Amino acid sequence: MKSDQHVKMVMALQQIVVPKLRERGFKGSFPHFRRMTRDKIDLLTFQFDKWGGGFVIEISKCPPNGTTTHWGEHIPPNKVKVWNMHPSQRTRLQPKKSSSTADWFRYDHTKSQEDVFKKVARDVLPFLDIAERWWQDFEM
């Protein structure tokens, strides 16, 4: 069962970030999104800390016909997710670069009384431009 904080964070992301993804041509349902173009599929997913209180955004891209896993399973274009891609073909977007979940987008470490969920969702928005550059520059 998801915590009340998790539910509130997802609602804030759906209100603030998902409309911006839709404006950029992404389809899908939370937490997995894809944007199909003639020559590639851009992928984005929100991955939450299993202990709660934080999340990271993972991005990847694949050929327009989907991908085939290293064990030979073909994932079609309308089903492919970031997690289907090899780790060398994806990256994480987070406020600080480290392997610690403490450096993810956190909504549990604040002393502020303002709506932390909306604030954290707004903090995600500049990372969409970073993702755009990565999708443009990353060689498959």
Side-chain angles (χ1 to χ4, degrees), residues 34-135:
R34 70 185 60 81
R35 176 175 57 192
M36 296 182 188
T37 67
R38 194 179 98 268
D39 59 342
K40 65 181 171 64
I41 303 171
D42 298 326
L43 304 165
L44 180 145
T45 195
F46 294 88
Q47 177 188 339
F48 283 80
D49 182 346
K50 68 180 176 180
W51 306 113
F55 66 93
V56 67
I57 300 166
E58 286 200 287
I59 61 172
S60 187
K61 70 180 181 181
C62 74
N65 61 343
T67 191
T68 301
T69 64
H70 69 276
W71 59 88
E73 178 185 0
H74 179 73
I75 312 294
N78 64 332
K79 299 287 185 190
V80 68
K81 297 176 175 85
V82 170
W83 300 338
N84 299 126
M85 306 306 294
H86 188 274
S88 67
Q89 298 173 306
R90 57 190 195 212
T91 194
R92 285 184 168 174
L93 302 176
Q94 60 195 61
K96 298 178 186 169
K97 289 291 182 193
S98 82
S99 59
S100 169
T101 59
D103 294 326
W104 288 17
F105 293 98
R106 302 300 311 181
Y107 51 92
D108 61 350
H109 293 163
T110 183
K111 295 182 172 113
S112 169
Q113 294 302 317
E114 78 171 274
D115 187 341
V116 66
F117 307 104
K118 289 183 179 178
K119 179 194 176 307
V120 172
R122 285 190 301 271
D123 289 346
V124 167
L125 295 177
F127 287 86
L128 298 181
D129 290 333
I130 294 168
E132 292 289 359
R133 288 191 296 276
W134 188 90
W135 286 313

Side-chain angles (χ1 to χ4, degrees), residues 6-35 44-48 55-57 117-118 120-128 132 135:
H6 176 90
V7 170
K8 287 179 180 178
M9 189 68 249
V10 169
M11 287 175 49
L13 290 167
Q14 289 176 323
Q15 291 172 348
I16 294 168
V17 179
V18 172
K20 299 298 183 188
L21 290 172
R22 302 271 187 241
E23 287 174 10
R24 293 169 184 247
F26 280 85
K27 298 188 182 320
S29 57
F30 198 89
H32 303 288
F33 298 91
R34 70 185 60 81
R35 176 175 57 192
L44 180 145
T45 195
F46 294 88
Q47 177 188 339
F48 283 80
F55 66 93
V56 67
I57 300 166
F117 307 104
K118 289 183 179 178
V120 172
R122 285 190 301 271
D123 289 346
V124 167
L125 295 177
F127 287 86
L128 298 181
E132 292 289 359
W135 286 313

